[in-house]
Amino acid sequence: GAGVSQSPSNKVTEKGKDVELRCDPISGHTALYWYRQRLGQGLEFLIYFQGNSAPDKSGLPSDRFSAERTGESVSTLTIQRTQQEDSAVYLCASSESTGADGNQPQHFGDGTRLSIL
Amino acid sequence: AQKITQTQPGMFVQEKEAVTLDCTYDTSDPSYGLFWYKQPSSGEMIFLIYQGSYDQQNATEGRYSLNFQKARKSANLVISASQLGDSAMYFCAMREYLDTGRRALTFGSGTRLQVQP
């Protein structure tokens, strides 16, 4: 498909386990974003990748969270030693290069619903 | 301070009527962009409309228009001729360009719109 693809769509795991979430952006989109959405709330920014530049990690809530992206392709978000407060929907978005104008909309995937037991 | 404020947690509107969803924002950045997204119960985030801080005219996209009042720092979404399929959560978001250098979006808490037949 032509959209942002995320996997798995749902993940249930026990507290303390590590989880890895995957995002496959729209082909040609150089910018990639991860957000977290807790139940009934808006989206919280986690991390942003733009091409080969250093990622903006300012939204990561703790050092248990990390993300990688190779070039302009797939990204993985890893949460180590999961806690119950990590339960949320994790949304990935991509956009065309964000230059000085920055008006390119972000296109979102369907998200990964993470439940920590 | 909240960057994006959506004061209406829930709104009802009759089918075929117009509805305005409020959004106010707070930034000292002279260059910024405002976005509206729709999130149906299925969870995907759908981009609706964009307004740049330097745009002279209010943005319009089909039945969606943005009532941009820069001095009041408001960017209300107007949906004309509401349809049952418009029932969803609506999020206002902002991207600041110069001050933070961040390209990610800051989201409001959302407004749940229910269209009644």
Side-chain angles (χ1 to χ4, degrees), chain A residues 64-100:
Chain A
R64 296 187 296 105
F65 288 72
S66 62
E68 293 183 350
R69 187 186 188 197
T70 305
E72 296 180 359
S73 61
V74 170
S75 174
T76 55
L77 176 69
T78 301
I79 308 173
Q80 296 178 308
R81 304 181 303 280
T82 52
Q83 304 293 314
Q84 287 186 331
E85 67 258 27
D86 299 336
S87 294
V89 176
Y90 289 81
L91 289 155
C92 175
S94 71
S95 72
E96 295 178 24
S97 177
T98 54

PDB file of all heavy atoms in Angstrom, chain A residues 64-100:
ATOM      1  N   ARG A  64      14.268   4.337  28.937  1.00  0.00           N
ATOM      2  CA  ARG A  64      13.790   3.014  28.517  1.00  0.00           C
ATOM      3  C   ARG A  64      13.316   3.046  27.061  1.00  0.00           C
ATOM      4  O   ARG A  64      13.128   1.998  26.459  1.00  0.00           O
ATOM      5  CB  ARG A  64      12.653   2.562  29.431  1.00  0.00           C
ATOM      6  CG  ARG A  64      13.036   2.345  30.876  1.00  0.00           C
ATOM      7  CD  ARG A  64      11.892   1.742  31.682  1.00  0.00           C
ATOM      8  NE  ARG A  64      10.735   2.619  31.770  1.00  0.00           N
ATOM      9  CZ  ARG A  64       9.602   2.439  31.077  1.00  0.00           C
ATOM     10  NH1 ARG A  64       9.481   1.416  30.253  1.00  0.00           N
ATOM     11  NH2 ARG A  64       8.592   3.278  31.232  1.00  0.00           N
ATOM     12  N   PHE A  65      13.117   4.245  26.561  1.00  0.00           N
ATOM     13  CA  PHE A  65      12.617   4.421  25.185  1.00  0.00           C
ATOM     14  C   PHE A  65      13.780   4.753  24.257  1.00  0.00           C
ATOM     15  O   PHE A  65      14.602   5.616  24.561  1.00  0.00           O
ATOM     16  CB  PHE A  65      11.592   5.553  25.112  1.00  0.00           C
ATOM     17  CG  PHE A  65      10.263   5.245  25.733  1.00  0.00           C
ATOM     18  CD1 PHE A  65      10.116   5.157  27.101  1.00  0.00           C
ATOM     19  CD2 PHE A  65       9.149   5.038  24.935  1.00  0.00           C
ATOM     20  CE1 PHE A  65       8.886   4.874  27.684  1.00  0.00           C
ATOM     21  CE2 PHE A  65       7.906   4.759  25.494  1.00  0.00           C
ATOM     22  CZ  PHE A  65       7.781   4.673  26.879  1.00  0.00           C
ATOM     23  N   SER A  66      13.810   4.093  23.119  1.00  0.00           N
ATOM     24  CA  SER A  66      14.805   4.418  22.101  1.00  0.00           C
ATOM     25  C   SER A  66      14.209   4.128  20.734  1.00  0.00           C
ATOM     26  O   SER A  66      13.232   3.389  20.613  1.00  0.00           O
ATOM     27  CB  SER A  66      16.088   3.606  22.309  1.00  0.00           C
ATOM     28  OG  SER A  66      15.821   2.220  22.180  1.00  0.00           O
ATOM     29  N   ALA A  67      14.778   4.721  19.718  1.00  0.00           N
ATOM     30  CA  ALA A  67      14.300   4.483  18.365  1.00  0.00           C
ATOM     31  C   ALA A  67      15.454   4.556  17.405  1.00  0.00           C
ATOM     32  O   ALA A  67      16.439   5.262  17.654  1.00  0.00           O
ATOM     33  CB  ALA A  67      13.216   5.478  17.968  1.00  0.00           C
ATOM     34  N   GLU A  68      15.315   3.815  16.329  1.00  0.00           N
ATOM     35  CA  GLU A  68      16.324   3.823  15.282  1.00  0.00           C
ATOM     36  C   GLU A  68      15.652   3.965  13.929  1.00  0.00           C
ATOM     37  O   GLU A  68      14.503   3.570  13.744  1.00  0.00           O
ATOM     38  CB  GLU A  68      17.127   2.510  15.303  1.00  0.00           C
ATOM     39  CG  GLU A  68      17.993   2.320  16.516  1.00  0.00           C
ATOM     40  CD  GLU A  68      18.816   1.050  16.431  1.00  0.00           C
ATOM     41  OE1 GLU A  68      18.577   0.227  15.526  1.00  0.00           O
ATOM     42  OE2 GLU A  68      19.711   0.878  17.275  1.00  0.00           O
ATOM     43  N   ARG A  69      16.412   4.514  13.011  1.00  0.00           N
ATOM     44  CA  ARG A  69      15.960   4.543  11.621  1.00  0.00           C
ATOM     45  C   ARG A  69      17.186   4.471  10.742  1.00  0.00           C
ATOM     46  O   ARG A  69      18.154   5.210  10.947  1.00  0.00           O
ATOM     47  CB  ARG A  69      15.178   5.817  11.307  1.00  0.00           C
ATOM     48  CG  ARG A  69      14.561   5.798   9.916  1.00  0.00           C
ATOM     49  CD  ARG A  69      13.926   7.118   9.572  1.00  0.00           C
ATOM     50  NE  ARG A  69      13.175   7.007   8.314  1.00  0.00           N
ATOM     51  CZ  ARG A  69      12.778   8.062   7.598  1.00  0.00           C
ATOM     52  NH1 ARG A  69      13.048   9.287   8.016  1.00  0.00           N
ATOM     53  NH2 ARG A  69      12.101   7.885   6.485  1.00  0.00           N
ATOM     54  N   THR A  70      17.151   3.610   9.788  1.00  0.00           N
ATOM     55  CA  THR A  70      18.250   3.468   8.844  1.00  0.00           C
ATOM     56  C   THR A  70      17.923   4.242   7.579  1.00  0.00           C
ATOM     57  O   THR A  70      16.975   3.894   6.863  1.00  0.00           O
ATOM     58  CB  THR A  70      18.480   1.979   8.491  1.00  0.00           C
ATOM     59  OG1 THR A  70      18.674   1.247   9.695  1.00  0.00           O
ATOM     60  CG2 THR A  70      19.692   1.841   7.596  1.00  0.00           C
ATOM     61  N   GLY A  71      18.654   5.308   7.347  1.00  0.00           N
ATOM     62  CA  GLY A  71      18.427   6.124   6.161  1.00  0.00           C
ATOM     63  C   GLY A  71      17.025   6.699   6.141  1.00  0.00           C
ATOM     64  O   GLY A  71      16.591   7.330   7.108  1.00  0.00           O
ATOM     65  N   GLU A  72      16.329   6.465   5.056  1.00  0.00           N
ATOM     66  CA  GLU A  72      14.968   6.989   4.930  1.00  0.00           C
ATOM     67  C   GLU A  72      13.970   5.848   4.879  1.00  0.00           C
ATOM     68  O   GLU A  72      12.932   5.937   4.241  1.00  0.00           O
ATOM     69  CB  GLU A  72      14.868   7.858   3.673  1.00  0.00           C
ATOM     70  CG  GLU A  72      15.755   9.081   3.740  1.00  0.00           C
ATOM     71  CD  GLU A  72      15.666   9.949   2.501  1.00  0.00           C
ATOM     72  OE1 GLU A  72      14.914   9.580   1.569  1.00  0.00           O
ATOM     73  OE2 GLU A  72      16.345  10.984   2.459  1.00  0.00           O
ATOM     74  N   SER A  73      14.300   4.771   5.593  1.00  0.00           N
ATOM     75  CA  SER A  73      13.419   3.606   5.521  1.00  0.00           C
ATOM     76  C   SER A  73      12.797   3.336   6.879  1.00  0.00           C
ATOM     77  O   SER A  73      12.466   4.244   7.635  1.00  0.00           O
ATOM     78  CB  SER A  73      14.207   2.408   5.011  1.00  0.00           C
ATOM     79  OG  SER A  73      15.263   2.115   5.905  1.00  0.00           O
ATOM     80  N   VAL A  74      12.676   2.072   7.181  1.00  0.00           N
ATOM     81  CA  VAL A  74      11.937   1.605   8.345  1.00  0.00           C
ATOM     82  C   VAL A  74      12.535   2.155   9.639  1.00  0.00           C
ATOM     83  O   VAL A  74      13.748   2.340   9.779  1.00  0.00           O
ATOM     84  CB  VAL A  74      11.959   0.063   8.364  1.00  0.00           C
ATOM     85  CG1 VAL A  74      11.423  -0.484   9.659  1.00  0.00           C
ATOM     86  CG2 VAL A  74      11.173  -0.478   7.175  1.00  0.00           C
ATOM     87  N   SER A  75      11.636   2.401  10.604  1.00  0.00           N
ATOM     88  CA  SER A  75      12.055   2.797  11.942  1.00  0.00           C
ATOM     89  C   SER A  75      11.505   1.813  12.953  1.00  0.00           C
ATOM     90  O   SER A  75      10.414   1.251  12.761  1.00  0.00           O
ATOM     91  CB  SER A  75      11.546   4.203  12.262  1.00  0.00           C
ATOM     92  OG  SER A  75      11.827   4.549  13.608  1.00  0.00           O
ATOM     93  N   THR A  76      12.268   1.602  14.019  1.00  0.00           N
ATOM     94  CA  THR A  76      11.781   0.776  15.120  1.00  0.00           C
ATOM     95  C   THR A  76      11.839   1.590  16.408  1.00  0.00           C
ATOM     96  O   THR A  76      12.822   2.280  16.678  1.00  0.00           O
ATOM     97  CB  THR A  76      12.602  -0.508  15.285  1.00  0.00           C
ATOM     98  OG1 THR A  76      13.975  -0.162  15.434  1.00  0.00           O
ATOM     99  CG2 THR A  76      12.435  -1.422  14.092  1.00  0.00           C
ATOM    100  N   LEU A  77      10.786   1.487  17.183  1.00  0.00           N
ATOM    101  CA  LEU A  77      10.717   2.095  18.513  1.00  0.00           C
ATOM    102  C   LEU A  77      10.807   0.964  19.525  1.00  0.00           C
ATOM    103  O   LEU A  77      10.009   0.014  19.453  1.00  0.00           O
ATOM    104  CB  LEU A  77       9.416   2.874  18.680  1.00  0.00           C
ATOM    105  CG  LEU A  77       9.147   3.484  20.056  1.00  0.00           C
ATOM    106  CD1 LEU A  77      10.110   4.631  20.337  1.00  0.00           C
ATOM    107  CD2 LEU A  77       7.699   3.981  20.150  1.00  0.00           C
ATOM    108  N   THR A  78      11.749   1.058  20.422  1.00  0.00           N
ATOM    109  CA  THR A  78      11.952   0.014  21.429  1.00  0.00           C
ATOM    110  C   THR A  78      11.666   0.569  22.809  1.00  0.00           C
ATOM    111  O   THR A  78      12.125   1.663  23.155  1.00  0.00           O
ATOM    112  CB  THR A  78      13.396  -0.512  21.367  1.00  0.00           C
ATOM    113  OG1 THR A  78      13.657  -1.036  20.060  1.00  0.00           O
ATOM    114  CG2 THR A  78      13.595  -1.623  22.389  1.00  0.00           C
ATOM    115  N   ILE A  79      10.887  -0.185  23.555  1.00  0.00           N
ATOM    116  CA  ILE A  79      10.633   0.160  24.949  1.00  0.00           C
ATOM    117  C   ILE A  79      11.170  -0.988  25.800  1.00  0.00           C
ATOM    118  O   ILE A  79      10.723  -2.137  25.664  1.00  0.00           O
ATOM    119  CB  ILE A  79       9.134   0.362  25.236  1.00  0.00           C
ATOM    120  CG1 ILE A  79       8.519   1.347  24.230  1.00  0.00           C
ATOM    121  CG2 ILE A  79       8.938   0.875  26.661  1.00  0.00           C
ATOM    122  CD1 ILE A  79       6.999   1.469  24.344  1.00  0.00           C
ATOM    123  N   GLN A  80      12.109  -0.669  26.649  1.00  0.00           N
ATOM    124  CA  GLN A  80      12.710  -1.690  27.515  1.00  0.00           C
ATOM    125  C   GLN A  80      12.025  -1.691  28.881  1.00  0.00           C
ATOM    126  O   GLN A  80      11.545  -0.655  29.354  1.00  0.00           O
ATOM    127  CB  GLN A  80      14.202  -1.409  27.692  1.00  0.00           C
ATOM    128  CG  GLN A  80      14.999  -1.500  26.391  1.00  0.00           C
ATOM    129  CD  GLN A  80      16.466  -1.162  26.611  1.00  0.00           C
ATOM    130  OE1 GLN A  80      16.802  -0.125  27.180  1.00  0.00           O
ATOM    131  NE2 GLN A  80      17.344  -2.037  26.162  1.00  0.00           N
ATOM    132  N   ARG A  81      11.992  -2.861  29.489  1.00  0.00           N
ATOM    133  CA  ARG A  81      11.452  -3.008  30.855  1.00  0.00           C
ATOM    134  C   ARG A  81      10.115  -2.276  30.971  1.00  0.00           C
ATOM    135  O   ARG A  81       9.936  -1.364  31.775  1.00  0.00           O
ATOM    136  CB  ARG A  81      12.458  -2.461  31.862  1.00  0.00           C
ATOM    137  CG  ARG A  81      13.825  -3.104  31.752  1.00  0.00           C
ATOM    138  CD  ARG A  81      14.805  -2.539  32.797  1.00  0.00           C
ATOM    139  NE  ARG A  81      14.954  -1.101  32.712  1.00  0.00           N
ATOM    140  CZ  ARG A  81      15.720  -0.468  31.838  1.00  0.00           C
ATOM    141  NH1 ARG A  81      16.383  -1.150  30.912  1.00  0.00           N
ATOM    142  NH2 ARG A  81      15.823   0.848  31.856  1.00  0.00           N
ATOM    143  N   THR A  82       9.165  -2.679  30.162  1.00  0.00           N
ATOM    144  CA  THR A  82       7.891  -1.972  30.062  1.00  0.00           C
ATOM    145  C   THR A  82       7.202  -1.834  31.411  1.00  0.00           C
ATOM    146  O   THR A  82       7.293  -2.722  32.284  1.00  0.00           O
ATOM    147  CB  THR A  82       6.946  -2.667  29.084  1.00  0.00           C
ATOM    148  OG1 THR A  82       6.849  -4.053  29.428  1.00  0.00           O
ATOM    149  CG2 THR A  82       7.412  -2.515  27.653  1.00  0.00           C
ATOM    150  N   GLN A  83       6.505  -0.721  31.571  1.00  0.00           N
ATOM    151  CA  GLN A  83       5.713  -0.417  32.748  1.00  0.00           C
ATOM    152  C   GLN A  83       4.260  -0.256  32.330  1.00  0.00           C
ATOM    153  O   GLN A  83       3.966   0.010  31.156  1.00  0.00           O
ATOM    154  CB  GLN A  83       6.213   0.877  33.399  1.00  0.00           C
ATOM    155  CG  GLN A  83       7.676   0.878  33.767  1.00  0.00           C
ATOM    156  CD  GLN A  83       7.989  -0.114  34.872  1.00  0.00           C
ATOM    157  OE1 GLN A  83       7.262  -0.169  35.868  1.00  0.00           O
ATOM    158  NE2 GLN A  83       9.038  -0.896  34.699  1.00  0.00           N
ATOM    159  N   GLN A  84       3.350  -0.339  33.280  1.00  0.00           N
ATOM    160  CA  GLN A  84       1.934  -0.232  32.943  1.00  0.00           C
ATOM    161  C   GLN A  84       1.602   1.132  32.346  1.00  0.00           C
ATOM    162  O   GLN A  84       0.717   1.230  31.483  1.00  0.00           O
ATOM    163  CB  GLN A  84       1.073  -0.533  34.159  1.00  0.00           C
ATOM    164  CG  GLN A  84       1.071  -2.018  34.512  1.00  0.00           C
ATOM    165  CD  GLN A  84       0.115  -2.358  35.630  1.00  0.00           C
ATOM    166  OE1 GLN A  84      -0.154  -1.550  36.494  1.00  0.00           O
ATOM    167  NE2 GLN A  84      -0.383  -3.592  35.608  1.00  0.00           N
ATOM    168  N   GLU A  85       2.314   2.172  32.760  1.00  0.00           N
ATOM    169  CA  GLU A  85       2.020   3.500  32.208  1.00  0.00           C
ATOM    170  C   GLU A  85       2.451   3.640  30.754  1.00  0.00           C
ATOM    171  O   GLU A  85       2.142   4.662  30.111  1.00  0.00           O
ATOM    172  CB  GLU A  85       2.700   4.604  33.034  1.00  0.00           C
ATOM    173  CG  GLU A  85       4.202   4.624  32.973  1.00  0.00           C
ATOM    174  CD  GLU A  85       4.849   4.020  34.202  1.00  0.00           C
ATOM    175  OE1 GLU A  85       4.210   3.166  34.837  1.00  0.00           O
ATOM    176  OE2 GLU A  85       5.986   4.424  34.510  1.00  0.00           O
ATOM    177  N   ASP A  86       3.156   2.624  30.231  1.00  0.00           N
ATOM    178  CA  ASP A  86       3.522   2.645  28.821  1.00  0.00           C
ATOM    179  C   ASP A  86       2.350   2.231  27.932  1.00  0.00           C
ATOM    180  O   ASP A  86       2.426   2.363  26.701  1.00  0.00           O
ATOM    181  CB  ASP A  86       4.703   1.712  28.538  1.00  0.00           C
ATOM    182  CG  ASP A  86       5.966   2.098  29.300  1.00  0.00           C
ATOM    183  OD1 ASP A  86       6.098   3.292  29.668  1.00  0.00           O
ATOM    184  OD2 ASP A  86       6.798   1.210  29.545  1.00  0.00           O
ATOM    185  N   SER A  87       1.293   1.723  28.525  1.00  0.00           N
ATOM    186  CA  SER A  87       0.126   1.296  27.739  1.00  0.00           C
ATOM    187  C   SER A  87      -0.451   2.507  27.004  1.00  0.00           C
ATOM    188  O   SER A  87      -0.789   3.525  27.614  1.00  0.00           O
ATOM    189  CB  SER A  87      -0.940   0.698  28.651  1.00  0.00           C
ATOM    190  OG  SER A  87      -0.487  -0.500  29.250  1.00  0.00           O
ATOM    191  N   ALA A  88      -0.559   2.382  25.704  1.00  0.00           N
ATOM    192  CA  ALA A  88      -1.010   3.498  24.860  1.00  0.00           C
ATOM    193  C   ALA A  88      -1.040   3.014  23.412  1.00  0.00           C
ATOM    194  O   ALA A  88      -0.628   1.883  23.114  1.00  0.00           O
ATOM    195  CB  ALA A  88      -0.062   4.687  24.978  1.00  0.00           C
ATOM    196  N   VAL A  89      -1.507   3.893  22.548  1.00  0.00           N
ATOM    197  CA  VAL A  89      -1.353   3.658  21.111  1.00  0.00           C
ATOM    198  C   VAL A  89      -0.133   4.448  20.651  1.00  0.00           C
ATOM    199  O   VAL A  89      -0.001   5.639  20.951  1.00  0.00           O
ATOM    200  CB  VAL A  89      -2.599   4.096  20.323  1.00  0.00           C
ATOM    201  CG1 VAL A  89      -2.365   3.931  18.821  1.00  0.00           C
ATOM    202  CG2 VAL A  89      -3.821   3.293  20.754  1.00  0.00           C
ATOM    203  N   TYR A  90       0.754   3.765  19.951  1.00  0.00           N
ATOM    204  CA  TYR A  90       1.966   4.402  19.444  1.00  0.00           C
ATOM    205  C   TYR A  90       1.781   4.622  17.952  1.00  0.00           C
ATOM    206  O   TYR A  90       1.595   3.684  17.177  1.00  0.00           O
ATOM    207  CB  TYR A  90       3.191   3.540  19.748  1.00  0.00           C
ATOM    208  CG  TYR A  90       3.502   3.565  21.223  1.00  0.00           C
ATOM    209  CD1 TYR A  90       2.801   2.740  22.105  1.00  0.00           C
ATOM    210  CD2 TYR A  90       4.446   4.446  21.745  1.00  0.00           C
ATOM    211  CE1 TYR A  90       3.044   2.802  23.472  1.00  0.00           C
ATOM    212  CE2 TYR A  90       4.701   4.504  23.104  1.00  0.00           C
ATOM    213  CZ  TYR A  90       3.984   3.683  23.959  1.00  0.00           C
ATOM    214  OH  TYR A  90       4.223   3.744  25.314  1.00  0.00           O
ATOM    215  N   LEU A  91       1.797   5.893  17.571  1.00  0.00           N
ATOM    216  CA  LEU A  91       1.527   6.279  16.196  1.00  0.00           C
ATOM    217  C   LEU A  91       2.806   6.756  15.523  1.00  0.00           C
ATOM    218  O   LEU A  91       3.592   7.497  16.103  1.00  0.00           O
ATOM    219  CB  LEU A  91       0.495   7.403  16.146  1.00  0.00           C
ATOM    220  CG  LEU A  91      -0.940   6.970  16.511  1.00  0.00           C
ATOM    221  CD1 LEU A  91      -1.741   8.150  17.020  1.00  0.00           C
ATOM    222  CD2 LEU A  91      -1.617   6.367  15.298  1.00  0.00           C
ATOM    223  N   CYS A  92       2.970   6.328  14.306  1.00  0.00           N
ATOM    224  CA  CYS A  92       4.082   6.761  13.475  1.00  0.00           C
ATOM    225  C   CYS A  92       3.528   7.621  12.347  1.00  0.00           C
ATOM    226  O   CYS A  92       2.422   7.363  11.839  1.00  0.00           O
ATOM    227  CB  CYS A  92       4.805   5.537  12.913  1.00  0.00           C
ATOM    228  SG  CYS A  92       6.132   5.910  11.752  1.00  0.00           S
ATOM    229  N   ALA A  93       4.257   8.637  11.967  1.00  0.00           N
ATOM    230  CA  ALA A  93       3.858   9.500  10.856  1.00  0.00           C
ATOM    231  C   ALA A  93       5.074   9.795  10.000  1.00  0.00           C
ATOM    232  O   ALA A  93       6.211   9.765  10.477  1.00  0.00           O
ATOM    233  CB  ALA A  93       3.250  10.803  11.367  1.00  0.00           C
ATOM    234  N   SER A  94       4.833  10.076   8.735  1.00  0.00           N
ATOM    235  CA  SER A  94       5.920  10.505   7.865  1.00  0.00           C
ATOM    236  C   SER A  94       5.465  11.685   7.037  1.00  0.00           C
ATOM    237  O   SER A  94       4.265  11.922   6.858  1.00  0.00           O
ATOM    238  CB  SER A  94       6.402   9.357   6.961  1.00  0.00           C
ATOM    239  OG  SER A  94       5.442   9.034   5.966  1.00  0.00           O
ATOM    240  N   SER A  95       6.433  12.451   6.561  1.00  0.00           N
ATOM    241  CA  SER A  95       6.125  13.585   5.695  1.00  0.00           C
ATOM    242  C   SER A  95       7.286  13.814   4.744  1.00  0.00           C
ATOM    243  O   SER A  95       8.388  13.294   4.946  1.00  0.00           O
ATOM    244  CB  SER A  95       5.846  14.849   6.515  1.00  0.00           C
ATOM    245  OG  SER A  95       7.036  15.354   7.087  1.00  0.00           O
ATOM    246  N   GLU A  96       7.023  14.602   3.731  1.00  0.00           N
ATOM    247  CA  GLU A  96       8.099  15.008   2.840  1.00  0.00           C
ATOM    248  C   GLU A  96       9.065  15.889   3.618  1.00  0.00           C
ATOM    249  O   GLU A  96       8.771  16.311   4.735  1.00  0.00           O
ATOM    250  CB  GLU A  96       7.518  15.757   1.641  1.00  0.00           C
ATOM    251  CG  GLU A  96       6.639  14.875   0.767  1.00  0.00           C
ATOM    252  CD  GLU A  96       6.028  15.630  -0.385  1.00  0.00           C
ATOM    253  OE1 GLU A  96       6.597  16.657  -0.781  1.00  0.00           O
ATOM    254  OE2 GLU A  96       4.971  15.203  -0.883  1.00  0.00           O
ATOM    255  N   SER A  97      10.169  16.192   3.021  1.00  0.00           N
ATOM    256  CA  SER A  97      11.198  16.952   3.703  1.00  0.00           C
ATOM    257  C   SER A  97      10.628  18.242   4.273  1.00  0.00           C
ATOM    258  O   SER A  97       9.906  18.972   3.600  1.00  0.00           O
ATOM    259  CB  SER A  97      12.323  17.296   2.724  1.00  0.00           C
ATOM    260  OG  SER A  97      13.297  18.096   3.346  1.00  0.00           O
ATOM    261  N   THR A  98      10.929  18.509   5.530  1.00  0.00           N
ATOM    262  CA  THR A  98      10.403  19.699   6.191  1.00  0.00           C
ATOM    263  C   THR A  98      11.447  20.802   6.117  1.00  0.00           C
ATOM    264  O   THR A  98      12.324  20.907   6.953  1.00  0.00           O
ATOM    265  CB  THR A  98      10.076  19.410   7.661  1.00  0.00           C
ATOM    266  OG1 THR A  98      11.234  18.866   8.297  1.00  0.00           O
ATOM    267  CG2 THR A  98       8.949  18.413   7.766  1.00  0.00           C
ATOM    268  N   GLY A  99      11.320  21.619   5.091  1.00  0.00           N
ATOM    269  CA  GLY A  99      12.227  22.744   4.939  1.00  0.00           C
ATOM    270  C   GLY A  99      11.758  23.918   5.759  1.00  0.00           C
ATOM    271  O   GLY A  99      10.994  23.769   6.704  1.00  0.00           O
ATOM    272  N   ALA A 100      12.206  25.086   5.378  1.00  0.00           N
ATOM    273  CA  ALA A 100      11.861  26.280   6.143  1.00  0.00           C
ATOM    274  C   ALA A 100      10.361  26.538   6.131  1.00  0.00           C
ATOM    275  O   ALA A 100       9.817  27.098   7.067  1.00  0.00           O
ATOM    276  CB  ALA A 100      12.593  27.483   5.561  1.00  0.00           C
TER     277      ALA A 100
END
